[in-house]
Amino acid sequence: MSPSESVFEAVESRDTTKVAALDIGSNSFHLVVARINAGSVQILHRLKEKVRLAAGLSEDNVLSDEAIERGLKMLQLVADSLRGFEPDSVRIVATHTLRRAINARAFINAAREVLPYPIEIISGVEEARLIYQGVAHTNHSDGRRLVADIGGGSTEFVIGEGFDPLICRSLQMGCVSYTNRFFADGELKAKNFNRAITAAKQELEMIENRYKQLGWSQCIGTSGTIKTLFSLAQRDKSNGHDEPVTLKSLRNLMKSFIEAGHTDKLTMPEISDDRRGVIAGGLAILIGIFESLGIDTLQYSPAALREGVLYQMEDELKHTDIRERTAKSLATRYDVDTDQANMVLTTTLSLFDQASGDWKFKNKDFRAMLGWAALLHEVGLQINSRGVQRHSAYILANVDMPGFTQEQQDLLATLVRFHRKKIKVAEIPEFQLFDSSAVKRAICIIRLGALLNIKRQEAFLPEMKVNASKHALTLTFPTGWLETKPIMSADLQQEILYWKTLELELVIQEN
């Protein structure tokens, strides 16, 4: 036996579950392979192929032999990726085109010869519900949200709150079907767009009153079509931050499409070759959605149907706070010293609560972000104890963190990056949603939370009083305590100098 083999004999493996979900869509087939580890979904492999089943669906709802052959060819690639998977660890769902095709059974029978897993043709309402689960398990949100997913043949709409969908609908309009109907020759004329937008608004008449009555505080779009339109809407933004899509930005996109004149001339790098032919139909649908439902802004989420299927397959992932689950999973995976993390957490949140009245953290996310930072500030110990703040920040900036927006993840990494040692102001990023002065104050709080627990001893700290003013924070210790802790006293004096970099003052005193 080689030395490496004997070493790995002693390695303790953590239990994981390997699962896969395949979405047989009207435009594309999407495969996601993942493992469930420490209560978190970790994506291992993705496979996507444009098949455009909807393009092969006749007016009589007969799926052409060519479309069936394209689908079977893709399933052969899927079969190679799923070799060795147990039947109960794979779920395959088919959507709009196979719902409508009168010869769908012929496709499924042929697929059974290629892929030894059952194919479920799900209803439009079930598709909408699963899409919502994918979004709910990967995006944190307070209040109700509207989720819209533009597929190749249908568009799904869900209003939900937390993990609970309140109303689900599927409408017969998609980027492939609308492109075939209104832009079949590839010409991008104003009259074609107007006809397509009107058709979408007519379809939306069935749901608009009910949806408007329920209302929502956030609108999220999923699917490749919305991803492309979202990316195009960022082209004129110079601040480096993704901004929500607005009706104005969509109207400007439509104007640029009309000026191009033909789909072949849509050469923007954000539009892939296989998306170019159907993006006009998707744009018309999204404009119709905005106008009918009175949407102000829309954010993009990469999670959709297949992620929803994955989360439904694993009971332990259902109905838990997504950000809490993500943070706990990271803490487990990186073997965080939870006793130390909880001490830092308790001190940090106590400091925040006492200082927040005068320091005015307007964004309510700061308390939660400081909590996650306290829990995860030492994940970088897995790399090296020297420079742990840099290693931890790198991990948190680059690891997949479901439930956290990109800005929240960047803020978390920033707090951890500067929780100890020197503060390099030039390396603190500019945030769109978080005020820069508040970010600096939050850095100071997490630094104190970590510093005051540097001894890693429970009951080490005495009761302290915290007072904050506009540019200063005062820590008041019991009389004589600092004299008995000369190293801590010296550390606090050094911290006073670090704070000056942020143009903030730390005052240390005794009763």
Side-chain angles (χ1 to χ4, degrees):
M1 181 180 293
S2 69
S4 61
E5 289 174 321
S6 62
V7 166
F8 277 99
E9 275 191 343
V11 173
E12 182 180 349
S13 297
R14 186 176 290 133
D15 290 338
T16 61
T17 303
K18 200 172 178 182
V19 294
L22 175 63
D23 164 15
I24 298 180
S26 297
N27 193 36
S28 306
F29 287 14
H30 294 262
L31 172 69
V32 178
V33 177
R35 68 173 182 168
I36 313 300
N37 182 16
S40 177
V41 171
Q42 300 168 23
I43 303 298
L44 302 176
H45 174 61
R46 292 182 185 271
L47 183 62
K48 174 187 173 183
E49 189 75 22
K50 284 286 183 293
V51 179
R52 291 197 184 147
L53 282 184
L57 194 65
S58 71
E59 292 183 0
D60 298 326
N61 291 330
V62 176
L63 193 60
S64 69
D65 291 340
E66 292 80 6
I68 290 176
E69 188 58 36
R70 290 196 302 271
L72 294 176
K73 185 177 180 181
M74 172 56 181
L75 292 183
Q76 184 59 63
L77 296 176
V78 172
D80 293 338
S81 296
L82 295 182
R83 189 169 288 115
F85 273 71
E86 295 297 324
D88 60 357
S89 64
V90 176
R91 187 178 179 193
I92 303 174
V93 295
T95 59
H96 176 264
T97 296
L98 289 183
R99 281 199 294 268
R100 295 191 63 188
I102 60 176
N103 58 334
R105 182 55 54 187
F107 176 85
I108 291 175
N109 289 339
R112 191 173 294 140
E113 300 297 321
V114 176
L115 198 61
Y117 304 102
I119 296 175
E120 303 173 54
I121 299 178
I122 58 175
S123 69
V125 170
E126 175 65 3
E127 181 180 358
R129 188 188 70 82
L130 288 170
I131 289 168
Y132 183 81
Q133 290 302 317
V135 171
H137 280 83
T138 52
N139 294 268
H140 176 77
S141 177
D142 294 316
R144 288 180 183 171
R145 53 188 159 197
L146 168 66
V147 176
D149 183 296
I150 300 176
S154 64
T155 297
E156 281 64 50
F157 298 88
V158 189
I159 291 178
E161 191 166 357
F163 293 95
D164 300 320
L166 304 176
I167 184 170
C168 305
R169 291 296 298 270
S170 178
L171 300 183
Q172 304 301 303
M173 56 185 186
C175 62
V176 175
S177 58
Y178 265 48
T179 296
N180 290 343
R181 184 174 168 187
F182 300 104
F183 306 97
D185 56 4
E187 290 188 0
L188 302 175
K189 295 180 178 179
K191 66 178 182 180
N192 293 5
F193 271 105
N194 290 335
R195 288 173 55 223
I197 292 169
T198 299
K201 292 167 76 171
Q202 287 176 310
E203 193 72 26
L204 283 154
E205 284 180 333
M206 294 185 287
I207 71 168
E208 63 177 296
N209 288 338
R210 177 64 174 137
Y211 274 63
K212 286 179 178 179
Q213 286 172 0
L214 274 176
W216 58 86
S217 57
Q218 181 186 30
C219 181
I220 296 176
T222 69
S223 79
T225 292
I226 290 181
K227 177 184 179 181
T228 299
L229 295 173
F230 183 84
S231 298
L232 286 169
Q234 310 305 318
R235 300 191 80 211
D236 299 329
K237 306 296 186 298
S238 58
N239 61 8
H241 296 286
D242 285 341
E243 295 184 11
V245 173
T246 63
L247 181 58
K248 181 179 178 180
S249 64
L250 294 176
R251 284 284 180 182
N252 287 337
L253 277 180
M254 184 177 73
K255 183 179 178 181
S256 68
F257 279 24
I258 292 169
E259 289 173 351
H262 197 279
T263 54
D264 293 341
K265 296 182 179 180
L266 298 178
T267 57
M268 303 84 150
E270 293 84 359
I271 306 178
S272 62
D273 291 340
D274 53 13
R275 182 71 57 184
R276 186 173 296 116
V278 298
I279 193 65
L283 175 57
I285 290 171
L286 192 54
I287 291 174
I289 293 170
F290 264 73
E291 293 186 350
S292 287
L293 299 181
I295 294 171
D296 296 319
T297 60
L298 175 143
Q299 289 281 10
Y300 167 71
S301 169
L305 176 60
R306 51 257 173 214
E307 286 79 13
V309 171
L310 286 178
Y311 281 98
Q312 287 290 292
M313 292 172 68
E314 188 61 35
D315 287 341
E316 69 176 283
L317 301 177
K318 294 179 183 176
H319 304 294
T320 57
D321 182 273
I322 176 60
R323 293 191 298 181
E324 179 181 349
R325 190 178 67 222
T326 294
K328 286 182 177 179
S329 174
L330 286 174
T332 300
R333 286 157 56 190
Y334 289 96
D335 294 320
V336 164
D337 181 344
T338 54
D339 290 337
Q340 173 67 8
N342 279 313
M343 286 191 289
V344 174
L345 172 67
T346 299
T347 302
T348 298
L349 294 186
S350 176
L351 292 168
F352 176 87
D353 291 340
Q354 294 179 73
S356 58
D358 292 298
W359 269 8
K360 300 185 187 305
F361 291 93
K362 294 180 181 179
N363 191 312
K364 63 182 181 180
D365 276 335
F366 271 110
R367 191 179 194 277
M369 291 302 108
L370 281 166
W372 305 134
L375 177 62
L376 301 172
H377 72 285
E378 289 188 334
V379 291
L381 284 175
Q382 283 278 18
I383 299 175
N384 199 315
S385 60
R386 185 175 182 179
V388 62
Q389 71 277 13
R390 296 191 302 275
H391 303 317
S392 295
Y394 178 83
I395 290 171
L396 295 177
N398 291 280
V399 74
D400 184 30
M401 296 191 70
F404 291 83
T405 66
Q406 187 58 57
E407 279 226 334
Q408 289 172 340
Q409 190 166 347
D410 291 343
L411 175 61
L412 187 59
T414 300
L415 294 174
V416 169
R417 168 67 180 85
F418 297 111
H419 84 269
R420 65 192 290 270
K421 300 294 185 180
K422 292 182 179 179
I423 305 169
K424 298 180 180 179
V425 177
E427 294 182 9
I428 299 175
E430 291 186 13
F431 294 93
Q432 183 181 11
L433 301 177
F434 301 103
D435 178 72
S436 60
S437 62
V439 171
K440 292 176 182 178
R441 290 168 179 169
I443 289 172
C444 290
I445 288 176
I446 187 67
R447 289 178 67 86
L448 279 180
L451 174 59
L452 292 170
N453 290 282
I454 198 169
K455 291 295 185 181
R456 310 179 86 89
Q457 297 173 6
E458 291 187 17
F460 173 78
L461 289 175
E463 288 191 17
M464 301 173 293
K465 294 180 181 178
V466 180
N467 297 101
S469 59
K470 187 173 182 181
H471 298 293
L473 185 142
T474 301
L475 279 184
T476 303
F477 291 89
T479 301
W481 188 84
L482 289 172
E483 291 182 8
T484 65
K485 306 291 186 295
I487 297 177
M488 174 62 72
S489 182
D491 286 340
L492 288 169
Q493 292 303 312
Q494 178 62 57
E495 189 66 13
I496 290 172
L497 300 178
Y498 285 140
W499 279 39
K500 290 182 178 179
T501 308
L502 299 176
E503 299 181 341
L504 290 168
E505 181 182 6
L506 174 61
V507 179
I508 304 298
Q509 64 182 28
E510 294 184 337
N511 285 334

